[in-house]
Amino acid sequence: MKIEFAPLSLPLQRRLQTASVVQWVFSFLGLAQCCVALFIGLLFTRFWLLSALYAAWWLTDREAPSRGGRRSQLLRNSIVWRYMRDYFPVTLVKTAELDPRQNYLMGFHPHGVLAVGAFLNFCTEASGFSTLFPGITPHLMMLSLWFRVPFFRDYLMAGGLVSSDKESASHVLQKPGGGNLLTIIVGGAQEALDARPGSYTLLLKNRKGFVRVAIENGTPLVPTFSFGENDLFEQVSNPKGSWLRRLQHRLQQVMGVSLPLFHARGIFQYSFGLMPYRRPIYTVVGKPIPVQKKYKPSEEEVDRVHQKYLEELCKLFEEHKAKYNVPEDSHLEFI
């Protein structure tokens, strides 16, 4: 006998969607600190052996984030991510095929405050990545320092996150047989300081390291723009040259992460809080740009491919902006 469950009521669905976003925001703002506290705290209890054994295993496993990580399909397919997807909602848009016999390097833009689109689309199956791009395994690069946090590192790798260093990139892009996609949020933490509604400023003008990596590995570049990524949070005014911007830059140089002073809505009210607004995100994946392999490319060769990438990214933005309510007079600005 087949048992059918009644669909969830709309209020319950919305509460579950909100709860899923709360746990995700917490995971990136507080879970790392909790993991450190747990690891240290256990050392002063009768369960100290758990931390000791984990430390020994961690030592032997320290290279894992630079060698493709260790993904978990159970975590990637969790229903929590589908509720989180529907909160905004988030949609992954395919404009071209990706040949599973090749490896690819994807540039993701913009970073936004918390890179929601990058996480949901490439670290979970909530938006149907494997259905849209069969035979392709996605990886998303993240600052290496996060993989030094006990327990938290395993959570990150389970979603397909890998460390953001050249060794890690080469390991993924050189995998035989193809079928791997390495996503780099090119603007990085510094670009998050310009993330606010209506902003289309990308820190990309002099970011050419990802292009050099693509050339050295002969890997096609895939430009990707996430419409709505910057619309999820407001940010305290921090114009270039202001004391706040200088402080944020200094902290970023010291810690490796930027600290945008963002705010949006609360859990039970809409006037103020750290919850993102319910605004749609459309992550549009462009067509691959062929790249000729060369072990040591010259600056001119890197510049030429970089310029081609900028042109294709602009073309992708201009072709799709009208569909996603971007004003006609808005254009990408590279700094």
Side-chain angles (χ1 to χ4, degrees):
M1 181 178 68
K2 182 179 180 181
I3 299 176
E4 295 186 359
F5 295 93
L8 298 176
S9 64
L10 182 59
L12 179 56
Q13 288 183 41
R14 293 180 73 87
R15 284 196 290 271
L16 289 171
Q17 291 165 10
T18 301
S20 68
V21 176
V22 169
Q23 69 84 27
W24 183 78
V25 171
F26 167 75
S27 73
F28 278 90
L29 296 183
L31 185 56
Q33 292 89 331
C34 290
C35 287
V36 172
L38 175 63
F39 179 78
I40 296 174
L42 285 174
L43 292 173
F44 297 94
T45 70
R46 59 179 178 173
F47 302 108
W48 64 269
L49 186 59
L50 292 176
S51 286
L53 290 174
Y54 181 86
W57 176 79
W58 183 11
L59 186 63
T60 63
D61 190 58
R62 63 186 181 278
E63 300 297 330
S66 297
R67 298 188 178 280
R70 186 172 47 252
R71 67 183 54 237
S72 165
Q73 289 304 120
L74 182 64
L75 179 67
R76 288 177 58 86
N77 286 289
S78 172
I79 193 173
V80 172
W81 309 129
R82 295 199 291 275
Y83 281 122
M84 182 177 169
R85 172 201 64 195
D86 295 338
Y87 173 91
F88 299 98
V90 175
T91 305
L92 183 61
V93 181
K94 173 183 176 180
T95 65
E97 295 291 338
L98 296 184
D99 186 350
R101 294 171 297 181
Q102 281 191 302
N103 294 321
Y104 297 90
L105 195 159
M106 172 185 287
F108 181 94
H109 315 272
H111 183 286
V113 171
L114 294 178
V116 175
F119 176 81
L120 274 177
N121 287 311
F122 307 117
C123 295
T124 82
E125 287 296 331
S127 56
F129 180 90
S130 295
T131 301
L132 287 172
F133 300 101
I136 302 292
T137 300
H139 306 265
L140 177 64
M141 298 195 95
M142 190 175 189
L143 283 174
S144 301
L145 69 89
W146 293 112
F147 294 97
R148 299 170 190 164
V149 181
F151 306 124
F152 189 59
R153 67 189 292 274
D154 302 285
Y155 168 71
L156 297 176
M157 287 192 291
L161 285 150
V162 296
S163 62
S164 57
D165 52 61
K166 191 171 182 180
E167 178 190 356
S168 178
S170 296
H171 181 85
V172 173
L173 298 178
Q174 291 176 7
K175 283 187 175 181
N180 292 280
L181 174 72
L182 179 66
T183 301
I184 300 177
I185 307 177
V186 181
Q190 190 176 341
E191 189 177 80
L193 299 177
D194 288 310
R196 47 178 47 86
S199 172
Y200 301 103
T201 300
L202 303 181
L203 188 61
L204 185 58
K205 189 175 182 179
N206 296 310
R207 294 274 172 122
K208 302 177 183 179
F210 73 107
V211 173
R212 183 177 295 277
V213 169
I215 296 174
E216 289 174 350
N217 291 279
T219 308
L221 284 163
V222 182
T224 297
F225 193 87
S226 196
F227 292 89
E229 192 74 44
N230 280 344
D231 298 335
L232 305 183
F233 296 95
E234 303 286 349
Q235 192 170 164
V236 174
S237 179
N238 60 342
K240 291 178 175 60
S242 66
W243 69 268
L244 177 57
R245 189 62 165 248
R246 290 196 298 270
L247 177 61
Q248 288 173 322
H249 274 304
R250 180 57 179 163
L251 289 173
Q252 194 236 333
Q253 291 172 350
V254 173
M255 300 187 300
V257 296
S258 64
L259 295 173
L261 298 181
F262 63 91
H263 60 89
R265 51 159 289 190
I267 299 175
F268 303 110
Q269 43 75 33
Y270 294 88
S271 57
F272 188 84
L274 298 180
M275 286 283 292
Y277 293 121
R278 283 181 179 266
R279 293 173 179 170
I281 298 173
Y282 298 93
T283 302
V284 183
V285 179
K287 65 179 181 180
I289 302 170
V291 173
Q292 185 175 1
K293 184 175 182 178
K294 188 169 184 180
Y295 179 60
K296 290 186 177 180
S298 65
E299 291 297 330
E300 291 74 18
E301 290 169 321
V302 172
D303 289 343
R304 184 167 59 251
V305 176
H306 182 261
Q307 183 59 39
K308 175 65 174 177
Y309 181 87
L310 296 183
E311 293 170 359
E312 289 297 322
L313 182 60
C314 284
K315 182 179 178 182
L316 182 72
F317 179 83
E318 295 295 332
E319 287 179 349
H320 292 87
K321 68 180 185 181
K323 303 175 189 175
Y324 306 122
N325 301 316
V326 176
E328 181 64 30
D329 59 351
S330 294
H331 308 283
L332 294 182
E333 178 188 358
F334 302 123
I335 59 174

